[in-house]
Amino acid sequence: MKRIDYFDTSKAYLIFLVVLGHILIVLNPQYDKLYFSVIQEFIYAFHMSAFFIIHGVLMNNEKWKSASVKDFIVKRIYSLIVPYLFFEIIGIVWKAFFAKQDLIKGIYNMVTVRCNTGADWFLVAMFIGSLLHLIYIKHPNRVFGIVSTVASFIVPMFISGNQIMIVLGRGMLAYGFIMIGNFGKNLFQSEKTKSIMWMSASLLLTGAVAVFSLKFGGNDYYTCTVNNPITLVIGGISGTLLIIGISRILHCKMITNIGNHTLTIMGTHQLVIYAMPVLIPIMAGSSIVYGIELLVGIILFEMPVVYLIDKYLPFLVGRRIIK
């Protein structure tokens, strides 16, 4: 299937928001600085949901309907679980060195999907969500699809603090948004997304979700906290439409290339956040200046990391070796 450039561009913008979100956690750990909190809620309203939606839009149901379940699972293990283990092992070693984390605790975090690199939960959630989506692909009953999608946003509201249930709950949320992307292929690929009217409406709706979440409590993937499934869904859809609209207008080869490497950036950018206070303690703080320093550090770190992994270890991030 030919790659669609504006979706790669969308992923580039989304991974920037992921990085920015993690930097803001450092700058606003108590969530008590309103100007940071508003930005955080706006980002959280859709940034991870959009990745799942785009995955659903790009999913080729016909291809996998005729393929074997084994082939599908093997492909997903290669593209999601192998990278998860790769990034987690790096995280274990990294934290043992910079944070003096016990190796046993690191292995425990990896196995239980508590994660040594925070964003890695996404890979396991995508894996579970993809497997649930495969059930619909093999048995494409529209009523079942709609009911299961609605249930995927409601059931996590009642999930306990048990880690296994949290992991499964993340996968259910991933499935729900994958299905939204799959059902809404025409909407998310429509030329209308780049119109001023659509982009303005998407921006206002996403902003409204952010303000509502700030006042009444938002939703969180990592802890599988769903306070309001309606705002979760609305924010996910409107934010995705906004990013796709922006990507159709503001795009270039460099941004598209970044979007092509979101997996590597997702799994490694937090290493800089963990290491910076140890390497340069004088810089550590909660100011905007420190946030800029972190962002610059991540950019400088990711350039060689992306190049080296792409050149020598692409198979560990689900990419093919290109001769």
Side-chain angles (χ1 to χ4, degrees), residues 23-304:
I23 290 175
L24 288 173
I25 289 174
V26 175
L27 303 185
N28 188 29
Q30 302 302 320
Y31 223 65
D32 54 355
K33 297 176 182 176
L34 184 60
Y35 51 95
F36 282 152
S37 299
V38 170
I39 298 172
Q40 286 173 278
E41 285 298 343
F42 185 84
I43 292 171
Y44 300 159
F46 69 91
H47 71 324
M48 299 311 298
S49 305
F51 278 111
F52 297 128
I53 288 174
I54 290 173
H55 179 82
V57 172
L58 298 176
M59 177 64 75
N60 188 338
N61 287 15
E62 291 304 313
K63 171 186 173 182
W64 291 111
K65 185 177 181 180
S66 58
S68 70
V69 172
K70 177 185 175 182
D71 287 345
F72 183 91
I73 293 175
V74 168
K75 182 174 176 61
R76 288 296 177 269
I77 289 174
Y78 177 71
S79 61
L80 295 170
I81 300 303
V82 171
Y84 172 77
L85 296 174
F86 173 55
F87 294 135
E88 278 298 290
I89 290 170
I90 292 175
I92 289 172
V93 176
W94 194 270
K95 279 193 166 179
F97 185 79
F98 287 104
K100 307 303 179 186
Q101 177 179 271
D102 183 76
L103 289 175
I104 299 299
K105 182 179 180 182
I107 294 171
Y108 175 75
N109 288 342
M110 177 178 70
V111 172
T112 59
V113 200
R114 285 177 169 84
C115 304
N116 296 285
T117 303
D120 289 351
W121 66 264
F122 168 83
L123 298 168
V124 177
M126 180 70 86
F127 179 75
I128 296 172
S130 296
L131 294 185
L132 293 173
H133 184 222
L134 180 62
I135 297 173
Y136 175 74
I137 290 174
K138 294 295 185 181
H139 307 283
N141 181 288
R142 198 163 186 83
V143 174
F144 165 75
I146 293 172
V147 171
S148 62
T149 299
V150 172
S152 71
F153 295 112
I154 294 176
V155 173
M157 295 179 67
F158 307 99
I159 283 178
S160 66
N162 179 279
Q163 184 62 17
I164 294 176
M165 297 305 295
I166 287 174
V167 173
L168 292 175
R170 295 172 189 159
M172 292 184 70
L173 293 175
Y175 165 76
F177 280 113
I178 289 171
M179 289 293 286
I180 286 175
N182 214 232
F183 280 143
K185 282 178 185 283
N186 293 335
L187 172 64
F188 294 107
Q189 296 183 91
S190 170
E191 288 282 336
K192 294 178 181 178
T193 57
K194 66 179 181 181
S195 73
I196 296 299
M197 184 185 73
W198 274 72
M199 291 178 64
S200 298
S202 298
L203 177 62
L204 289 173
L205 202 52
T206 309
V209 168
V211 172
F212 182 91
S213 298
L214 192 62
K215 186 171 179 61
F216 299 104
N219 305 292
D220 180 65
Y221 275 100
Y222 184 76
T223 58
C224 195
T225 300
V226 179
N227 288 313
N228 192 316
I230 296 175
T231 57
L232 179 66
V233 172
I234 292 175
I237 294 173
S238 62
T240 303
L241 288 171
L242 176 63
I243 288 296
I244 291 174
I246 293 172
S247 300
R248 282 178 173 270
I249 298 171
L250 302 176
H251 59 89
C252 64
K253 187 174 181 181
M254 183 185 74
I255 298 175
T256 300
N257 190 49
I258 293 171
N260 234 328
H261 294 88
T262 51
L263 190 62
T264 299
I265 299 170
M266 180 90 72
T268 58
H269 73 276
Q270 285 174 282
L271 300 178
V272 177
I273 296 174
Y274 301 149
M276 186 80 87
V278 179
L279 293 174
I280 317 177
I282 195 172
M283 286 186 175
S286 59
S287 67
I288 294 176
V289 173
Y290 182 53
I292 294 172
E293 290 168 350
L294 279 175
L295 181 59
V296 171
I298 289 169
I299 292 171
L300 294 176
F301 177 76
E302 288 299 338
M303 286 192 290

